[in-house]
Every structure is written in structure tokens, then in C-alpha cells.
Amino acid sequence: MKKILIAGGTGFVGGYLVSHLTKLGYEVHVLTRQSVAEPEENGTKFFKWDLDKSYIDLKAFEGVDTIINLTGENISAGRWTTKRRLELIESRMLSLNLLYEYVKHHAIAINKIISSSAVGYYGARTTDTIFSEDANSGSDFLADICKLWEKAARQFESLGIKTVILRKGIVLGKEGGMYAKLAPLARLGINVSVGDGKQYLPWIDIRDLGRLYEFILHQEDLRGVYNAVAPQHITMNDFAYSLLKSFDKTSFLPNVPAFMLKLLYGEMSTMLLQGSRVIDEKIKSMGFKFYYDTIDHSLERHGT
């Protein structure tokens, strides 16, 4: 099996993907900013890197065929202050820039890079439009981040490296992300919908996301931008209803008012209160099949 280098492999998605690929027989190298006390764990090898010092342990690249980039500060972790905006942008661009410089300078024979982006590329807006990969980008901060993120990833094309960019929806999984934050409330019968609840919520089950990375690794000539979203279009109200149902609960509580979110989170609230439909036909046309294709199927295992 090929060796894979994962940057950002210690978070929610990264942790799942490392486990998934290791079970498939891949040898996984993970870049970490923490001190490497245990350089190897369950077949996964950890290597130090430091963006501030522009440093990567060169041993991380030994035998590696593919790089998977998952880096980026959590976009919804707090208000978008001027400092926070810079952190969100730099955490995405600097990591890709450093990887690119190392691969170029040391002539590392990488065949493919799979990099992250988000459906925020299309902007935080609720419209009747259904966005495919060739749609124009939005004009807000989320869209600006994604455009810079993707531009940094496309540097690898100049080295002849096959470049795949995944515009991900909300990743749903039991161990983290949106589900981990909202499930405890739903388990108590609390309505988790916000605003008018009519905003669309592009999403993907983390198990399908793992399968999608597996699929891309097996497709030798696959490259370009792909929406990583489940086929079913749902609204925030739909999600809240299904989440409650997964715990055999119902709620008569109202949605959290939009003005409260705006007071708490400022401009960041737009990503919670707005959302568009995003289509997955391009990746399906390549032969990928979603298994968790409805929100009820995704959430059904979480019931008590």
C-alpha cells in the first residue's frame, strides 16, 4: 500500500481519516505541531512541523505518494475579529505554502495532493440557486477564505502534481463537529434550529467522507474541484427535526432568534443563518456512490 502524509491529521476529520486509512492498510504519516513523544502509534507515524519556523521534518516525506491537507483553524470557534480573520486565512495558506516549498525545493516525488476547501466558496446566502463546481464564488469573508485556500493548493499543479480540492459541507459524525455540540441538547428535547430555519445545510457523513478520500486515492487520473456534500438538500429545520427524532424526542421550543446569534457572534453568525443548496453530481459522475445519502440514515445510529 502507498504511504500517505496527512497535514492536520489530529482533529475531528483527521483523526477519523487516519483510522480509516490505516484499517485499509495504508501507512500514514501525520504532521503535528506538538512534541513527538511517541513517534509511532498503531501503525501511524508522527512527524514535527512548525509553520512559524518554516520547518518540516524531511523524514515525513519518505516514501510518500500522496499528501492530504486538512489544515485550518476552526472557522466557527469565535467572533471574526481582525486578528481572528488573519489567523483563519494564514492557518490555511501558510501550511500549503510550506508544503509546496518543501516539495519543490527538495524535489519530492509526490503524485497527488488532496486539499480541503468548503462550500463557503459559494458565499453565505440562502437562494433558490443550486451550486455546482463551475458556479461563481461568493463575495463575503467565507468565500474569500476559500478562494485563497484553493489558490494555495493549486500551486502544486505547477509541479505536475495531480491536485484535487474538496469543497466540503458540514461534516457530521458522532465524535466531533456540529453533531457533538448539538446532540446533547437534542437528547434533552431542546430544539437546535436557528433563525428562521429555512437556510440550507450542505452536509456529508464522516463515514462517506472517509470513503470519498479512499475513492480518490484509487482513481489515478482524478483531479480538479469536487463538492463533498450528500445528495439530500436539507434545511436547518430539517436537521433539527431529524436530530431530535434520532433520540425519540420532539420539541415545541422556538428556534434560537437570529438577533441573539448576531449579538453573540457578530458577522460570524451569517454562516449559521444563511446557507445554499450545493450539488454533488460531478463526483457521482466519476463513479462515487454515497452510502449515507439521507440525514435520517446518517443520524439513525446515534439514537438512545
Side-chain angles (χ1 to χ4, degrees), residues 30 32-40 45-49:
V30 175
T32 176
R33 299 180 189 181
Q34 306 302 318
S35 298
V36 184
E38 296 292 337
E40 185 167 348
K45 296 181 179 179
F46 295 87
F47 300 88
K48 188 79 166 59
W49 73 330

Side-chain angles (χ1 to χ4, degrees), residues 16 22 74 76 105 204 290:
Y16 179 87
T22 301
N74 186 344
S76 61
H105 180 74
I204 185 170
F290 288 85

Side-chain angles (χ1 to χ4, degrees), residues 117-134:
S117 183
V119 294
Y121 176 89
Y122 306 110
R125 45 185 168 164
T126 304
T127 73
D128 292 330
T129 303
I130 301 177
F131 293 96
S132 64
E133 290 83 351
D134 58 0

Side-chain angles (χ1 to χ4, degrees), residues 20-301:
H20 181 73
L21 295 178
T22 301
K23 289 176 183 176
L24 292 173
Y26 288 95
E27 183 175 332
V28 180
H29 294 184
V30 175
L31 293 178
T32 176
R33 299 180 189 181
Q34 306 302 318
S35 298
V36 184
E38 296 292 337
E40 185 167 348
E41 181 180 327
N42 298 324
T44 301
K45 296 181 179 179
F46 295 87
F47 300 88
K48 188 79 166 59
W49 73 330
D50 189 322
L51 295 181
D52 294 331
K53 297 180 180 179
S54 299
Y55 168 78
I56 303 177
D57 184 347
L58 271 174
K59 294 179 182 178
F61 294 98
E62 289 181 358
V64 167
D65 174 81
T66 299
I67 296 173
I68 294 177
N69 175 56
L70 301 170
T71 56
E73 293 285 340
N74 186 344
I75 197 80
S76 61
R79 295 177 71 97
W80 292 342
T81 61
T82 300
K83 179 182 177 182
R84 183 62 178 164
R85 285 169 179 264
L86 185 60
E87 291 173 347
L88 292 171
I89 292 171
E90 288 189 340
S91 66
R92 286 156 173 79
M93 293 189 65
L94 295 183
S95 55
L96 280 164
N97 290 343
L98 183 58
L99 285 166
Y100 170 77
E101 290 300 331
Y102 261 72
V103 170
K104 179 181 178 181
H105 180 74
H106 297 283
I108 299 169
I110 298 298
N111 178 54
K112 181 182 293 183
I113 180 169
I114 309 171
S115 194
S116 297
S117 183
V119 294
Y121 176 89
Y122 306 110
R125 45 185 168 164
T126 304
T127 73
D128 292 330
T129 303
I130 301 177
F131 293 96
S132 64
E133 290 83 351
D134 58 0
N136 293 330
S137 65
S139 57
D140 54 23
F141 179 58
L142 285 175
D144 290 342
I145 286 180
C146 291
K147 283 182 282 187
L148 291 170
W149 206 356
E150 294 183 15
K151 181 180 180 181
R154 288 196 175 96
Q155 294 177 98
F156 290 86
E157 295 175 339
S158 68
L159 303 178
I161 295 172
K162 296 164 188 171
T163 303
V164 179
I165 297 172
L166 295 180
R167 291 178 185 158
K168 300 172 188 172
I170 296 294
V171 181
L172 296 179
K174 187 177 181 180
E175 302 304 321
M178 182 177 178
Y179 180 90
K181 292 178 181 179
L182 298 183
L185 298 175
R187 189 181 283 111
L188 296 174
I190 297 173
N191 176 19
V192 298
S193 191
V194 298
D196 63 13
K198 296 178 181 179
Q199 64 273 38
Y200 289 99
L201 187 72
W203 64 280
I204 185 170
D205 188 287
I206 195 166
R207 293 164 291 182
D208 269 339
L209 183 58
R211 291 177 57 250
L212 179 54
Y213 276 100
E214 178 186 350
F215 175 81
I216 294 169
L217 289 170
H218 290 164
Q219 303 299 309
E220 186 60 31
D221 294 324
L222 192 126
R223 62 186 72 196
V225 178
Y226 295 88
N227 291 331
V229 294
Q232 185 188 37
H233 300 302
I234 64 170
T235 64
M236 186 63 199
N237 282 341
D238 295 330
F239 172 78
Y241 174 80
S242 292
L243 186 60
L244 284 163
K245 187 171 68 172
S246 74
F247 295 110
D248 296 321
K249 301 287 187 179
T250 57
S251 178
F252 298 100
L253 295 173
N255 292 7
V256 178
F259 77 87
M260 288 184 63
L261 291 177
K262 292 176 181 177
L263 285 174
L264 285 171
Y265 301 115
E267 187 184 354
M268 195 271 281
S269 64
T270 58
M271 66 177 292
L272 305 174
L273 297 170
Q274 300 291 331
S276 301
R277 288 178 290 180
V278 178
I279 198 167
D280 61 356
E281 289 302 321
K282 184 177 178 182
I283 192 63
K284 289 196 296 187
S285 72
M286 302 301 294
F288 182 74
K289 296 181 180 179
F290 288 85
Y291 182 69
Y292 300 94
D293 54 355
T294 68
I295 192 65
D296 286 340
H297 192 191
S298 174
L299 298 177
E300 64 186 1
R301 61 165 179 158

